[in-house]
Amino acid sequence: MGASQSKSNAGDAVFRSEIPVQFSPDVVEQLSERQASATPTPERQSTLDEHIRSRIQSEVKQLRKAEEQVQHEIQLALEKENLDREKAMAGEVSGEQEAGVGSVKSSAALLGDLEETRSKIDRFQSRKSLADYPELKAGQEALVSCYKSHVTSSLECWKEVANFRNSVAQLEKDYFKTLQ
């Protein structure tokens, strides 16, 4: 008997208002515009754009960092491969060196040879100074001054050219005599 009163049915309760709910035409229009348009408001759009830009920039930074790392690894691998190839070539040729065939050298050995050759060239250049040969130096200076004074008519320097050639020929003869 009293059990039916203690039961509650929440879904069955309906309240009716005797005063009708009314909205202003502005509110109704604004809600209908928002629902009809698929584009967000300008404030929301600028926020979305900024968020997208920041994500793109962070992804670009990560990609560049990864690219630099890959390039560095490739460079190290190529250097190692080149050194291994040079060592292998030097090892293969070591038996041929005894037979008188040319040798393959590493980069370090070639750089050493290059520096040695440069020093020899510098010594040779210093020895061939014209200060040791005053007649040749005088002939050279006379020829240069004649060419400078006769810029448009260089054929007038034929005497200086002949004297310079004779000086060079005499120097060559003297040099070849020392070799014999």
Side-chain angles (χ1 to χ4, degrees), residues 20-180:
V21 179
Q22 293 182 347
F23 295 102
S24 71
D26 292 337
V27 172
V28 172
E29 184 179 329
Q30 186 179 8
L31 289 174
S32 66
E33 283 178 7
R34 279 194 181 174
Q35 191 176 22
S37 83
T39 60
T41 62
E43 297 86 23
R44 175 80 175 139
Q45 184 65 41
S46 66
T47 305
L48 288 172
D49 289 347
E50 185 60 34
H51 178 69
I52 290 171
R53 276 190 214 103
S54 67
R55 296 263 324 256
I56 289 173
Q57 288 175 350
S58 67
E59 287 294 322
V60 166
K61 285 180 185 176
Q62 288 177 353
L63 289 173
R64 284 186 180 151
K65 187 182 285 186
E67 180 185 11
E68 287 176 5
Q69 184 179 2
V70 167
Q71 285 179 349
H72 182 69
E73 290 173 2
I74 289 172
Q75 183 179 8
L76 290 176
L78 287 174
E79 287 175 0
K80 184 181 180 306
E81 183 180 326
N82 287 340
L83 285 174
D84 291 345
R85 186 180 307 131
E86 285 179 1
K87 288 178 184 176
M89 289 174 67
E92 291 173 4
V93 177
S94 63
E96 295 174 4
Q97 288 177 353
E98 295 170 4
V101 180
S103 65
V104 176
K105 297 182 179 181
S106 68
S107 299
L110 289 174
L111 285 175
D113 290 348
L114 182 63
E115 287 300 320
E116 181 182 336
T117 305
R118 283 185 183 156
S119 67
K120 287 180 181 178
I121 289 172
D122 290 340
R123 281 184 286 177
F124 176 75
Q125 294 291 343
S126 67
R127 277 191 279 163
K128 71 172 199 167
S129 171
L130 293 180
D132 297 338
Y133 310 103
E135 65 278 351
L136 188 64
K137 180 78 172 163
Q140 178 188 20
E141 289 174 357
L143 183 60
V144 169
S145 66
C146 181
Y147 278 143
K148 286 182 180 178
S149 64
H150 298 97
V151 176
T152 58
S153 57
S154 60
L155 291 178
E156 291 187 24
C157 298
W158 67 272
K159 288 181 185 176
E160 288 80 4
V161 170
N163 290 338
F164 183 71
R165 281 187 181 169
N166 291 335
S167 299
V168 170
Q170 185 61 39
L171 186 63
E172 286 175 346
K173 286 179 186 176
D174 293 344
Y175 177 74
F176 286 125
K177 285 181 184 176
T178 61
L179 293 177
Q180 295 177 359

Side-chain angles (χ1 to χ4, degrees), residues 10-24:
D12 293 342
V14 175
F15 298 100
R16 298 202 187 267
S17 170
E18 296 185 15
I19 303 172
V21 179
Q22 293 182 347
F23 295 102
S24 71

